[in-house]
Amino acid sequence: MRLDRLLATLGQGSRTQVQRLIRTGCVTVDDSIVRDPSMDVSENTPVTLNGHPLDTRLSRHLILHKPAGILTAARDPKQSTVMDLLPVEMRTLGCMPVGRLDKDTTGLLFFTTDGTLSHRLLSPERHVEKEYIAEVDGPLSDNDIEAFSSGLNLGDFTALPAKLEVLESENNYAKACVTIREGKFHQVKRMFEAVGREVTKLHRERFGPLTLGDLPLGEWRELTEEELRGLYLSVGMAEAPQSPLTR
Ligand code: URA
């Protein structure tokens, strides 16, 4: 890749801005100042800008603990989006959310620069499991567990059998863990609606093999190599194109 394109992709400025930086001697490649913006560089070549080493990885994979009140979208003219919670270069690198959580839903959102991985994780044929903790406005019973497991009719489609585990159930409140293997619009809310309950709180704890763990609300982290390997294997891809931690 051309040096100017690499720097722009890494979020260091527009193509014109980074060309100026290169020509004025602010950039080194392999410890030597380079003034030619068209120089060919590979992803793992050490590059510095104003003396600071740049993270030149083009492949990124991360999870965010999404707070409520934030849109899952690449951009929005008026509202905050999940991209606003990530470093600016994630946008220029094309690190995008895989699937979506509603604005009021919290929890695990996975982002990747790998379009093939994203596509496979979202493919309806793959049945990637997603686990949610839902709070609802009334009790849940064995009948509801049975209804979820036999595949709820949601009008325009019948949901695949889902697992409902009731954690608490009182007269006007219940809390449950729901595991689904598809991801239609408002799916969990619609499934509860089909058994006469309104979801008052929804949180995603797991997406495929990825779990949120103790990641604080609003924070993000990159996947470990082990997580990434497991994720690729889970969608039938033998190996990640490259290690998430190599520079
Ligand atoms: N199902 C929903 O209803 N909302 C979400 O955000 C995710 C799954």
Side-chain angles (χ1 to χ4, degrees):
M1 184 187 281
R2 281 174 62 116
L3 179 59
D4 54 358
R5 178 151 174 248
L6 176 70
L7 291 176
T9 304
L10 295 173
Q12 300 302 323
S14 67
R15 198 77 168 249
T16 315
Q17 286 167 332
V18 300
Q19 283 172 354
R20 197 172 311 125
L21 290 169
I22 296 165
R23 290 203 179 95
T24 52
C26 299
V27 176
T28 69
V29 176
D30 267 335
D31 295 328
S32 305
I33 291 178
V34 170
R35 292 175 195 273
D36 175 8
S38 72
M39 181 191 183
D40 197 33
V41 277
S42 71
E43 183 180 351
N44 294 326
T45 311
V47 178
T48 69
L49 175 61
N50 294 322
H52 301 291
L54 294 180
D55 183 343
T56 54
R57 290 170 300 153
L58 299 177
S59 295
R60 304 291 180 92
H61 315 273
L62 55 96
I63 57 172
L64 168 74
H65 187 163
K66 178 193 169 299
I70 309 278
L71 278 190
T72 305
R75 50 175 53 80
D76 188 89
K78 293 200 184 93
Q79 303 183 64
S80 299
T81 76
V82 289
M83 298 310 294
D84 298 328
L85 300 175
L86 303 179
V88 65
E89 69 268 24
M90 294 304 169
R91 197 190 290 277
T92 49
L93 282 164
C95 190
M96 289 293 148
V98 177
R100 64 186 299 280
L101 292 176
D102 294 340
K103 189 174 172 184
D104 57 354
T105 301
T106 60
L108 192 159
L109 192 59
F110 172 61
F111 294 72
T112 183
T113 48
D114 185 340
T116 307
L117 175 63
S118 176
H119 186 74
R120 288 202 182 197
L121 287 165
L122 294 176
S123 158
E125 283 95 56
R126 295 256 163 214
H127 302 318
V128 171
E129 285 194 348
K130 293 118 195 154
E131 190 178 299
Y132 295 87
I133 302 293
E135 295 182 38
V136 299
D137 64 348
L140 292 169
S141 67
D142 286 350
N143 286 345
D144 300 316
I145 296 176
E146 175 58 31
F148 272 63
S149 75
S150 41
L152 285 163
N153 182 350
L154 300 182
D156 51 338
F157 78 103
T158 300
L160 287 173
K163 186 171 154 205
L164 176 68
E165 193 185 341
V166 180
L167 306 173
E168 284 174 53
S169 182
E170 295 163 19
N171 279 345
N172 51 12
Y173 170 83
K175 186 173 180 175
C177 179
V178 189
T179 308
I180 60 173
R181 291 180 290 136
E182 55 204 331
K184 303 253 169 43
F185 190 56
H186 293 329
Q187 179 155 347
V188 174
K189 291 174 184 166
R190 291 181 65 196
M191 287 168 83
F192 279 105
E193 205 177 289
V195 297
R197 295 285 167 261
E198 190 187 333
V199 171
T200 54
K201 232 178 184 184
L202 190 60
H203 173 84
R204 183 157 72 189
E205 193 53 41
R206 181 164 70 82
F207 180 78
L210 304 175
T211 53
L212 201 52
D214 54 10
L215 184 65
L217 188 69
E219 302 215 348
W220 65 275
R221 68 166 175 83
E222 298 203 40
L223 297 196
T224 64
E225 293 205 39
E226 199 183 338
E227 283 175 319
L228 193 61
R229 208 174 305 119
L231 188 63
Y232 272 90
L233 282 175
S234 76
V235 291
M237 292 167 84
E239 267 180 32
Q242 65 188 68
S243 153
L245 301 176
T246 45
R247 289 183 179 220

